[in-house]
């Protein structure tokens, strides 16, 4: 199988990205899903031992001066059947007690058994004062069955 990530526009005419898949002997690619024009499928990863494809679902809003995105979901599909195997939506990850919010920035790898995805994630730490929190980027593992997000290490020097 060959996987391709393609943006549907140039810098001046920004458009969301789409995922395409084809068997190496097939004549053409087929698009995965049919997202609307504000939704991107991003950060694809495949398993080396299972026919699995993981990707982020982001929604984007463009205004006159910038483009802003919101993480919606992490999906894992069976490549052979196209059937959704796992889905973790915004607000669903179970976090350690010191965190109050999270989002997935990038998918890095799927475990050999297909049960976990290694990710970079944004997390908000609970503050001592009401209304105060700190945000950090972390390397983390997302368990797809329990939907638990476990940070492994804080990433230093990440700017966005």
């Amino acid at each position: 199988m060959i996987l391709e990530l393609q943006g549907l526009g140039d810098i001046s005419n920004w458009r969301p990205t789409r995922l395409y898949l084809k068997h190496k002997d097939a004549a053409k690619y087929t698009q995965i899903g049919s997202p609307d024009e504000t939704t991107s499928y991003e950060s694809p990863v495949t398993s080396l031992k299972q026919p699995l494809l993981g990707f982020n679902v982001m929604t984007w809003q463009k205004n006159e001066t910038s483009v802003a995105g919101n993480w919606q979901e992490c999906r894992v599909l069976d490549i052979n059947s196209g059937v959704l195997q796992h889905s973790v939506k915004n607000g669903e990850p179970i976090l350690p007690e010191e965190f109050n919010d999270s989002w997935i920035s990038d998918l890095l790898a799927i475990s050999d058994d297909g049960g976990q995805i290694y990710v970079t994630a944004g997390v908000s730490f609970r503050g001592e004062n009401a209304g105060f929190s700190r945000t950090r980027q972390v390397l983390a593992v997302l368990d797809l069955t329990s939907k638990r997000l476990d940070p492994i290490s804080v990433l230093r020097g990440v700017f966005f």
Side-chain angles (χ1 to χ4, degrees):
M1 294 289 189
I2 301 170
L3 179 67
E4 182 177 316
L5 180 66
Q6 180 181 16
L8 298 178
D10 58 27
I11 297 287
S12 63
N13 184 22
W14 182 88
R15 296 286 305 258
T17 53
R18 302 289 184 251
L19 282 172
Y20 297 88
L21 187 68
K22 81 172 184 122
H23 188 274
K24 65 181 179 71
D25 297 327
K28 63 180 187 173
Y29 285 88
T30 57
Q31 183 174 316
I32 295 174
S34 54
D36 67 31
E37 63 183 43
T38 65
T39 302
S40 279
Y41 289 171
E42 302 182 358
S43 190
V45 294
T46 56
S47 172
L48 296 175
K49 303 221 175 192
Q50 305 285 330
L52 298 174
L53 166 65
F55 58 94
N56 255 350
V57 178
M58 301 281 291
T59 57
W60 294 92
Q61 298 164 341
K62 182 180 178 185
N63 62 34
E64 293 176 10
T65 59
S66 66
V67 177
N70 291 307
W71 176 68
Q72 298 299 315
E73 183 178 6
C74 174
R75 292 183 187 168
V76 177
L77 298 177
D78 181 299
I79 292 173
N80 294 330
S81 67
V83 173
L84 184 66
Q85 298 294 305
H86 298 283
S87 170
V88 179
K89 295 180 179 174
N90 189 353
E92 288 183 341
I94 298 168
L95 305 170
E97 188 174 304
E98 66 269 22
F99 303 112
N100 62 356
D101 193 17
S102 68
W103 60 93
I104 306 299
S105 301
D106 292 297
L107 280 55
L108 304 173
I110 298 179
S111 63
D112 286 347
D113 67 359
Q116 298 175 323
I117 292 188
Y118 297 90
V119 301
T120 58
V123 291
S124 294
F125 292 81
R126 295 183 193 278
E128 291 105 28
N129 304 345
F132 173 77
S133 65
R134 294 183 306 169
T135 300
R136 296 283 188 261
Q137 287 284 320
V138 297
L139 175 63
V141 61
L142 176 62
D143 185 285
L144 296 168
T145 304
S146 69
K147 299 184 180 186
R148 181 169 177 80
L149 182 71
D150 288 310
I152 297 170
S153 177
V154 173
L155 298 173
R156 305 278 184 212
V158 176
F159 300 96
F160 53 89

